[in-house]
Amino acid sequence: MVNHNNKNIIEVKNLVKKFGDFIANDNLTFSVNEGEIFGFLGANGAGKTTALKILSGLLFPTSGNVMVAGFDVYREREKVKKNIGYMSQKFSLYEDLTVKENIRFYGGIYGLSSKYIKEKTDDLLKRLKMEDIKDSLITSLPLGWKQKIAFSVAIFHNPKIVFLDEPTGGVDPITRRDFWEMIYEASNSGITVFVTTHYMDEAEYCDRVCIMEQGRIDALDTPTQLKKQFNAKNMDEVFLKIARQPVTSNNII
């Protein structure tokens, strides 16, 4: 893991998000340090994606205070969006465009200069070893390659934070490992990585993890400390022990 300073780049206090009578996020409070790989873990439906969309400026909270990259998500959503990258749960590139066209298209959306886009596109294709397929349509590529391109596009403009919503869902173990190498590389370059996943083994790759259950935060610490706290051999055991706990206010951290 990389060394991080203790400056918060994300601050969340008493975040609540309701859809009618349904509470998707139940009084969430946490912070994320600059340069950290922060894992947001939980089963499907735990409230991870809702919280991520609020942090990304895509949804308004029902109540609570949320600051991202120094900006208020209520009043400064556009400033938030300019300082982040976002990779959605569903594949987010244009499948009827080629690899190269997708990269250049998103570079233009980010407002980057033509010279910068060309130079960075060439460098990116070389690093991903995709020079031979640069003119291939996205739709023709394996899912793992698509995900790598989508992640690269999400950080193309060097954002302060990148939000990844279950980025390794559906890919094989080798591709998952390669994808995490890209996450480490981004973190080492100074980008804060906020990643949601339901794969408990991926918690081991994070600096800290926040485990959600039914819209609540039930645990938040480093993987090592959580395993000690719950007397568990791995993060799968931690999650199972948390899921079996009775629901009380004392469970919420």
Side-chain angles (χ1 to χ4, degrees):
M1 297 297 178
V2 297
N3 293 320
H4 311 289
N5 61 48
N6 292 320
K7 183 179 178 182
N8 292 340
I9 196 164
I10 298 174
E11 296 181 17
V12 178
K13 292 182 180 179
N14 307 121
L15 168 62
V16 174
K17 179 61 180 179
K18 296 180 180 179
F19 296 97
D21 294 330
F22 176 71
I23 302 175
N25 294 148
D26 189 358
N27 202 42
L28 308 185
T29 295
F30 64 92
S31 61
V32 179
N33 296 330
E34 280 188 348
E36 188 171 27
I37 300 175
F38 189 84
F40 222 50
L41 281 73
N44 289 331
K48 306 184 304 295
T49 296
T50 298
L52 184 145
K53 286 184 177 180
I54 290 170
L55 295 173
S56 304
L58 300 176
L59 281 177
F60 275 116
T62 301
S63 62
N65 299 315
V66 183
M67 299 290 292
V68 176
F71 302 107
D72 187 298
V73 299
Y74 292 94
R75 299 179 290 104
E76 301 173 297
R77 294 173 78 190
E78 292 308 311
K79 290 181 180 179
V80 168
K81 291 175 184 177
K82 287 181 179 179
N83 284 275
I84 68 169
Y86 180 81
M87 181 176 166
S88 67
Q89 201 169 6
K90 295 180 180 179
F91 187 62
S92 53
L93 299 183
Y94 288 93
E95 299 214 342
D96 55 347
L97 295 180
T98 67
V99 172
K100 190 173 183 179
E101 287 170 342
N102 263 285
I103 297 170
R104 289 185 169 180
F105 175 75
Y106 278 95
I109 288 178
Y110 293 137
L112 305 174
S113 70
S114 298
K115 181 181 179 182
Y116 180 90
I117 292 172
K118 183 181 184 308
E119 291 175 353
K120 189 146 187 177
T121 298
D122 292 342
D123 177 66
L124 177 59
L125 291 169
K126 186 175 182 179
R127 284 195 299 108
L128 293 178
K129 298 179 180 179
M130 291 186 178
E131 293 168 295
D132 292 342
I133 61 163
K134 64 183 180 181
D135 296 318
S136 300
L137 293 177
I138 290 290
T139 190
S140 68
L141 303 180
L143 177 60
W145 288 16
K146 292 179 182 180
Q147 297 297 73
K148 290 178 183 179
I149 297 167
F151 176 69
S152 299
V153 164
I155 60 172
F156 195 75
H157 57 308
N158 295 318
K160 293 181 180 179
I161 309 165
V162 62
F163 292 101
L164 309 175
D165 192 7
E166 301 197 2
T168 57
V171 301
D172 62 84
I174 294 175
T175 302
R176 282 175 62 195
R177 185 187 63 194
D178 291 344
F179 194 92
W180 273 92
E181 287 299 325
M182 295 176 70
I183 289 177
Y184 286 143
E185 187 177 317
S187 177
N188 284 323
S189 74
I191 297 174
T192 302
V193 180
F194 188 108
V195 54
T196 74
T197 180
H198 60 266
Y199 293 119
M200 292 303 121
D201 62 308
E202 293 190 342
E204 305 281 358
Y205 308 149
C206 300
D207 294 306
R208 284 190 303 145
V209 295
C210 173
I211 299 179
M212 291 194 68
E213 176 75 10
Q214 296 181 357
R216 307 178 314 275
I217 294 175
D218 278 1
L220 200 171
D221 212 326
T222 65
T224 298
Q225 288 302 315
L226 286 174
K227 285 184 285 187
K228 287 181 180 178
Q229 179 183 340
F230 290 92
N231 191 27
K233 296 178 182 178
N234 52 50
M235 290 303 298
D236 275 314
E237 284 190 17
V238 170
F239 183 73
L240 286 173
K241 290 185 177 185
I242 289 173
R244 290 169 181 163
Q245 289 183 135
V247 179
T248 70
S249 59
N250 292 330
N251 293 346
I252 302 173
I253 297 177

